[in-house]
Amino acid sequence: PQISGSVALFSVSSYACQRRTTLDNHNSNLTDALSLLAENAELNNEDGRGVAFRRAAALLKALPTQVISMSQLRGLPCLGEHSLRVIKDVLENGVSSEVESTKQSKRYKALKILTGIFGVGAKTADRWIRAGIYNLEQLRHSGQTLNRAQKAGLEHYDDLNEPVTKAEADAIGEIVQKAVDSVLTGSQVALSGGFRRGKLTGHDVDFLITHPEEGKEVGLMPKVVAWLESQGFLLYQKTTRNSYLESKDGPARPASNMDRFERCFSIFKLTKGKEQETASHKIWRAVRVDLVVSPISQFAFAVLGWTGSKLFERELRRWAGHEKNMSLSSHALFDNTQNKYLRATSEEEIFAYLGLEYIPPSERNA
Ligand code: DCP
Ligand code: MG
């Protein structure tokens, strides 16, 4: 017997890294609802629930058409009971009651406002809420001690919560290129993160910096930062080892690479174009910028690891581990079966090692 012709059945991989996810989302009514619940779970340190909602939303983003009936979802992976309940609610009522009540809740509103401060995570926000702090005004008068990042975050709150445009990202790219040219000729700058995937706005701008001659990149970050500082481009900066590498699901890697891979969290002071000048006549705005320096030998892995999306990255690592017995990081790919590192100079090579069809950045918007 044939499946009813009116019912579209999609065949979709359960791994986001095997799907092509463009920015053209036909199901934003559903993915917005699921993303909000994912965000709420993450803000409450319920990471497992957060990932489940993210995976469900990502699955729907990859569908070629708009879902209008539950029957179209039959047999699809990544859709758990809870996500299906939310989808059903939106399809039948236009909105999800759970999403609506979450949005209205005092705790969610406070978590959003407080974690909207650069340098404030879910744990800090939770501690403040338990101390009766629900908004910026209450925080300012609370006597809570803020660290340097949080002080800068509070000071530039409005600017940093205003999406960064592609034009602004490009303007900052020119400044960063000028900085690296000034301190080490031949250095290269690559735009990564959401803008590399073709997004028109972002919460920050992410750059990777390298040099074609291995080892030349050592000590580059402090020089770049010093140059930017001397030119008055930085409102805030903190250079650290990349914490992402130290995460518990981070793969095996040579310890000697650790100190070479630096990340600078910064806030740029970007002079506005004439058109963007506001009523306040402020001629500049604050923009979050992340700089990462990578040795050329790891650059392909760094580019792949910093292009995102976050879920696409997570799924690549899950695929590598579960399906290939390999460990992928933004430094390297380790084959646990052959007990060796696999060298690569392009993203295409890494996909090939992983036995995956190449997915270009514009189709990694899972
Ligand atoms: N990344 C990651 N894990 C981290 C930090 C970063 O996988 N802990 C990767 C994936 C991200 C990319 O780096 O896509 C950049 O991180 P962002 O948080 O800036 O994410 P996006 O650039 O994708 O989004 P936005 O437009 O909000 O900046
Ligand atoms: Mg980004």
Side-chain angles (χ1 to χ4, degrees):
Q2 279 208 310
I3 295 163
S4 160
S6 64
V7 179
L9 280 174
F10 310 110
S11 163
V12 188
S13 170
S14 77
Y15 282 98
C17 55
Q18 282 194 311
R19 306 192 295 250
R20 295 179 182 272
T21 314
T22 66
L23 290 167
D24 189 16
N25 176 0
H26 304 286
N27 289 287
S28 51
N29 59 331
L30 304 176
T31 61
D32 285 353
L34 293 166
S35 299
L36 186 133
L37 296 179
E39 180 194 34
N40 185 53
E42 289 157 3
L43 288 172
N44 284 291
N45 281 307
E46 298 171 326
D47 290 345
R49 273 161 70 88
V51 173
F53 285 130
R54 294 271 174 223
R55 292 186 68 210
L59 186 285
L60 297 174
K61 285 182 196 169
L63 298 181
T65 57
Q66 188 185 358
V67 171
I68 49 169
S69 123
M70 291 302 284
S71 63
Q72 291 171 278
L73 302 176
R74 236 185 290 145
L76 286 181
C78 307
L79 303 174
E81 199 186 313
H82 196 158
S83 293
L84 285 170
R85 205 158 65 227
V86 174
I87 294 167
K88 187 163 185 278
D89 209 3
V90 176
L91 292 181
E92 285 173 2
N93 308 311
V95 290
S96 146
S97 54
E98 187 178 358
V99 168
E100 293 311 298
S101 65
T102 301
K103 275 196 217 166
Q104 298 306 315
S105 85
K106 195 175 170 189
R107 179 173 168 83
Y108 173 78
K109 285 186 198 167
L111 284 168
K112 279 286 278 182
I113 290 168
L114 297 175
T115 60
I117 305 169
F118 169 64
V120 177
K123 290 195 177 106
T124 302
D126 177 62
R127 183 161 46 80
W128 287 345
I129 290 170
R130 282 188 282 112
I133 300 164
Y134 289 83
N135 57 44
L136 303 186
E137 199 54 25
Q138 290 171 339
L139 176 63
R140 286 197 179 97
H141 295 103
S142 69
Q144 292 279 341
T145 14
L146 304 184
N147 64 30
R148 206 167 57 85
Q150 294 162 348
K151 279 181 194 152
L154 197 52
E155 186 176 347
H156 304 293
Y157 188 87
D158 291 340
D159 276 357
L160 298 184
N161 282 284
E162 181 76 28
V164 184
T165 65
K166 180 63 166 62
E168 289 168 331
D170 290 338
I172 291 166
E174 282 177 30
I175 295 168
V176 175
Q177 185 67 59
K178 210 169 157 192
V180 302
D181 287 345
S182 306
V183 301
L184 181 64
T185 43
S187 300
Q188 293 165 5
V189 178
L191 184 64
S192 63
F195 288 112
R196 182 160 185 259
R197 302 196 307 275
K199 281 180 64 184
L200 298 175
T201 61
H203 96 283
D204 69 358
V205 195
D206 308 285
F207 293 102
L208 286 171
I209 301 169
T210 191
H211 192 282
E213 214 176 306
E214 184 80 7
K216 279 269 171 102
E217 81 294 343
V218 176
L220 185 53
M221 186 71 93
K223 288 182 194 149
V224 170
V225 169
W227 187 92
L228 290 168
E229 220 142 40
S230 73
Q231 301 289 310
F233 284 121
L234 296 183
L235 294 163
Y236 168 91
Q237 71 84 15
K238 186 183 165 72
T239 306
T240 63
R241 246 193 240 159
N242 186 354
S243 60
Y244 167 51
L245 306 172
E246 291 155 15
S247 67
K248 58 183 186 311
D249 52 357
R253 64 196 170 267
S256 61
N257 286 332
M258 295 283 293
D259 47 0
R260 286 198 182 185
F261 212 82
E262 286 181 309
R263 179 174 183 181
C264 176
F265 301 87
S266 76
I267 301 176
F268 262 57
K269 181 175 181 173
L270 181 67
T271 304
K272 292 183 188 179
K274 273 267 181 289
E275 324 75 67
Q276 286 101 45
E277 281 181 33
T278 52
S280 67
H281 298 296
K282 213 179 89 185
I283 60 152
W284 57 269
R285 69 161 290 193
V287 179
R288 274 275 299 112
V289 177
D290 275 2
L291 304 175
V292 175
V293 170
S294 159
I296 191 75
S297 61
Q298 300 175 14
F299 193 61
F301 296 98
V303 169
L304 179 58
W306 287 92
T307 295
S309 69
K310 283 207 180 75
L311 188 80
F312 193 90
E313 301 291 340
R314 172 181 269 278
E315 294 279 280
L316 272 177
R317 299 194 299 269
R318 187 167 72 92
W319 169 270
H322 291 194
E323 307 295 333
K324 296 284 154 180
N325 195 24
M326 292 179 184
S327 307
L328 175 69
S329 74
S330 40
H331 282 270
L333 179 63
F334 189 79
D335 185 331
N336 297 299
T337 311
Q338 300 184 64
N339 203 32
K340 68 170 193 189
Y341 285 96
L342 304 174
R343 306 270 152 222
T345 57
S346 69
E347 290 183 307
E348 283 84 347
E349 278 176 81
I350 305 171
F351 278 87
Y353 278 138
L354 292 168
L356 290 169
E357 210 175 295
Y358 179 69
I359 309 282
S362 61
E363 296 177 339
R364 296 180 203 161
N365 286 293

